Amino acid sequence: MSQSIDWANLPFGYMPTDYNVRCTYRNGKWGEIEVSSSEILNIHMAATCLHYGQEAFEGQKAFRCPDGKIRLFRIDDNAERLQQTCRGIMMPEVPTELFRAMAEKVIRLNERFIPPYESGASLYLRPLLIGTGAQVGVHPAEEYMFLIFVTPVGPYFKGGFATNDYVIIREYDRAAPLGTGRYKVGGNYAASLRANHIAHEAGYSCEFYLDAKEKKYIDECGAANFFGIKDGKYITPKSTSILPSITNRSLQQLALDLGLEVECRQIPEEELETFEEAGACGTAAVISPIRRIDDLESKKSYVISKDGKPGPISTKLYTKLRNIQYGIEPDVHNWVTVLD
Ligand SMILES: *Cc1c(COP(=O)(O)O)cnc(C)c1O
């Protein structure tokens, strides 16, 4: 079957694979890792994930590299972020060793679905933690399921690394200042669907959020973090409602390595017009460079890329991170796990 997959034309979507791995939390402890070939979960209708949003997820990719090996990027950081999310919405923490063991196992079990290096495609891992115990009152569940499934996904940039247009949406917030924006929970995505739809209908690649309280500062860029480049600086918003992106953290380190300064601070909307380059960052694209951000309310249009092309520093950061993920450049920060 894998012979017939058109790797280079895969969408970012779901395709069935052979196995997923699961682990149940019951009586205060995690059980054994189970391997399943079913795509279906059989859960209680009063499960807390269905009613009270006890649901958290992660996103990660495994790469088939030019040396033939499989590499995973900063997997322990995903485990730690899930643990932060667990503390945020009262779920038991998945230990890093369990997270890692399950990730490695599900990749090996589905090795035939890892796209070849040349295709630019990769194997996406979706770790998911849900409250499965029944509750009718608003309480955390007593039982949970942690699972990881994988699905091959196509290259993000089908026509090569390119810029996109964004639109500031003020009518909807994805998260409150002291809400769940900093946790990777499904509810934030539910809250973003309408703004995302409005942005797409208006012909933009994605919606752009200002801080929910004052509507003055840059918050998130759709489901990705924002960064801007100017005067030899990599500048990214500091906010309590932003999801701490591992890609952003990696880019900050690489920016320092390139001799840039890194600033993590509030960014007023008007500062957008001063950036030489800007991008959205996350696992899906690494960097999605920004051409223009429109504010429909104030009728302002912040044109960041004058020639419509990705800037030189964004391109350098993107190439550097991809090369580390693919084992092409040395992994000096110890980010990569090699599975052979
Ligand atoms: C997952 C996610 C990101 C990106 O995080 P990475 O660890 O870089 O993949 C950014 N913003 C939101 C809202 C997210 O859910």
Side-chain angles (χ1 to χ4, degrees):
M1 183 209 157
S2 59
Q3 260 58 41
S4 63
I5 300 175
D6 182 6
W7 300 111
N9 293 306
L10 282 172
F12 190 88
Y14 177 78
M15 173 194 284
T17 56
D18 290 336
Y19 302 103
N20 55 83
V21 291
R22 306 175 178 195
C23 189
T24 302
Y25 180 91
R26 191 175 284 139
N27 300 323
K29 57 178 195 297
W30 289 102
E32 297 295 313
I33 301 172
E34 292 162 35
V35 175
S36 173
S37 55
S38 170
E39 295 167 88
I40 305 300
L41 298 177
N42 192 9
I43 60 171
H44 197 288
M45 62 185 175
T48 61
C49 64
L50 300 177
H51 299 259
Y52 303 132
Q54 274 201 307
E55 182 273 355
F57 67 100
E58 277 296 328
Q60 183 53 269
K61 283 173 174 177
F63 306 93
R64 173 72 72 188
C65 302
D67 62 5
K69 292 177 179 160
I70 303 161
R71 280 179 177 78
L72 263 172
F73 187 68
R74 303 192 76 165
I75 189 76
D76 291 359
D77 293 84
N78 287 93
E80 280 166 31
R81 186 170 63 192
L82 180 61
Q83 290 155 12
Q84 284 170 26
T85 298
C86 289
R87 292 193 287 273
I89 61 166
M90 300 291 288
M91 304 201 286
E93 292 175 32
V94 177
T96 302
E97 313 75 65
L98 178 61
F99 187 103
R100 177 182 267 280
M102 286 174 69
E104 294 186 8
K105 186 164 193 136
V106 75
I107 293 166
R108 287 186 213 279
L109 286 168
N110 293 289
E111 204 173 325
R112 70 189 186 95
F113 293 97
I114 308 177
Y117 169 68
E118 295 73 21
S119 66
S122 55
L123 188 72
Y124 185 73
L125 276 69
R126 171 51 63 88
L128 179 72
L129 174 61
I130 53 174
T132 48
Q135 293 285 1
V136 173
V138 182
H139 302 290
E142 304 269 332
E143 284 183 23
Y144 294 82
M145 180 183 280
F146 177 58
L147 65 105
I148 309 181
F149 69 79
V150 296
T151 194
V153 292
Y156 191 88
F157 296 103
K158 294 213 164 61
F161 194 50
T163 60
N164 279 305
D165 296 342
Y166 289 78
V167 63
I168 294 172
I169 302 276
R170 292 163 190 274
E171 295 80 13
Y172 300 95
D173 296 314
R174 65 173 279 284
L178 300 176
T180 53
R182 69 192 117 149
Y183 307 125
K184 212 166 174 80
V185 297
N188 298 339
Y189 279 77
S192 77
L193 291 175
R194 183 153 293 279
N196 185 259
H197 175 75
I198 293 169
H200 284 159
E201 289 282 287
Y204 293 92
S205 131
C206 217
E207 77 279 18
F208 199 91
Y209 296 101
L210 300 178
D211 75 286
K213 194 171 173 184
E214 298 188 74
K215 299 279 181 197
K216 263 168 79 176
Y217 303 102
I218 292 162
D219 217 66
E220 287 231 63
C221 202
N225 279 186
F226 173 87
F227 71 88
I229 306 277
K230 66 172 181 184
D231 308 328
K233 290 180 189 155
Y234 178 105
I235 306 168
T236 191
K238 187 182 173 83
S239 154
T240 53
S241 50
I242 286 179
L243 197 278
S245 155
I246 296 164
T247 310
N248 190 0
R249 213 177 333 138
S250 309
L251 293 172
Q252 290 175 38
Q253 181 60 56
L254 297 179
L256 290 171
D257 295 351
L258 287 178
L260 276 81
E261 273 177 58
V262 171
E263 285 180 3
C264 186
R265 58 162 170 84
Q266 286 187 313
I267 305 175
E269 180 191 333
E270 309 73 63
E271 193 175 344
L272 285 174
E273 65 198 355
T274 66
F275 289 119
E276 296 150 16
E277 301 179 29
C281 59
T283 295
V286 177
I287 292 174
S288 180
I290 298 174
R291 183 173 73 166
R292 197 177 87 222
I293 302 167
D294 289 347
D295 185 337
L296 300 180
E297 199 178 273
S298 70
K299 305 272 183 283
K300 274 201 177 153
S301 186
Y302 304 98
V303 180
I304 292 167
S305 169
K306 310 284 183 268
D307 61 1
K309 295 193 189 114
I313 294 172
S314 304
T315 306
K316 228 182 236 177
L317 289 169
Y318 171 79
T319 308
K320 188 115 193 143
L321 189 56
R322 296 265 300 177
N323 283 348
I324 295 170
Q325 290 176 329
Y326 282 104
I328 296 165
E329 285 194 43
D331 173 29
V332 296
H333 299 293
N334 250 312
W335 287 337
V336 171
T337 301
V338 183
L339 303 189
D340 39 12

